[in-house]
Amino acid sequence: MLSKLLKYDLRANIKIFLFIWPAMLAVAGLQRLLLGLEVDNFLGKFLVALLTVLMLFSMAAVVVLCFIICVIRFYSGLLRREGYLMFTLPVKPWQLLVSKLIAAMLTIIPSCVFAYFGSALILSGTTNDVWNTMFNFKEFFGLHPINGWTLLLAALTILATLANMILRVYFVSCLGHLFRRARIFLSILFYYLIGILIQVAAVISLVSVTTGQELPFTDALCTWFTGLSFNGTMCVFFGGLLLINAAIGCVYFFVSEAILRKRLNLD
């Protein structure tokens, strides 16, 4: 049943973005052709530069739009009138959450890829080194060779971070829906409060580590960390971020599932 839910959610999302993704590349290509034209006067150069900046911002705006559409799909599909139909299906709330999450990720990731390629296509009209800079990923790390474990952990960390961002929105939407009034306002308020709490916890953890260097445990940990190779350091870094995002994402997911299962209020 999960596969059928996922097919339904993906079909609903892709119906919209099958037109948006080619349009992104088409607009980027037109802007690239415009940059290839010779413009001599100051006003023409200014307008071309302004249009280039606007096109680059539009690429980022499409990714934000994709994220917003996925949030709206979740909110209208499970927490509004459509929820009356969805929760009558022979599926469990966790399956509905997993379906919405996977469909959102499979929509946002291609949007990011198209935005990246579109931005590279536009910027290639301003300098000749754009393709070599934006797609030669080895140069990002200088002379340090990158092994497969580092790349794998980096990819998993990016996916976990994206899932964490989506689940956080689902979580605050479920929290806001526990109230009868001002649900959207409370959801937004909870979103920013959680962000503040996470930042405070990160600052406290950083201060605790930096001020506790005299302790035997932290001293041994710092000595072990400084003795690692480049790939070892990157693996520890990405592995730590992966565990943190996975732990926080699990909290978001299971609390949201509990609210949908026990405290759902569609009035």
Side-chain angles (χ1 to χ4, degrees), residues 101-113:
L101 174 62
I102 296 176
M105 294 183 67
L106 292 179
T107 307
I108 294 174
I109 292 175
S111 299
C112 294
V113 173

Side-chain angles (χ1 to χ4, degrees), residues 149-162 238 242 245:
W149 286 109
T150 303
L151 293 175
L152 177 61
L153 283 175
L156 291 176
T157 301
I158 293 173
L159 292 177
T161 303
L162 177 59
F238 286 126
L242 177 61
N245 280 286

Side-chain angles (χ1 to χ4, degrees), residues 160-211:
T161 303
L162 177 59
N164 194 0
M165 292 172 56
I166 298 171
L167 286 172
R168 178 177 169 183
V169 178
Y170 291 175
F171 173 67
V172 297
S173 299
C174 293
L175 282 181
H177 224 71
L178 293 175
F179 301 87
R180 291 188 174 275
R181 297 181 180 180
R183 292 174 174 175
I184 297 179
F185 171 77
L186 290 173
S187 298
I188 297 174
L189 180 62
F190 287 140
Y191 183 88
Y192 284 105
L193 287 177
I194 291 173
I196 293 173
L197 289 176
I198 291 175
Q199 292 179 3
V200 170
V203 171
I204 292 176
S205 300
L206 182 62
V207 171
S208 300
V209 171
T210 55
T211 56

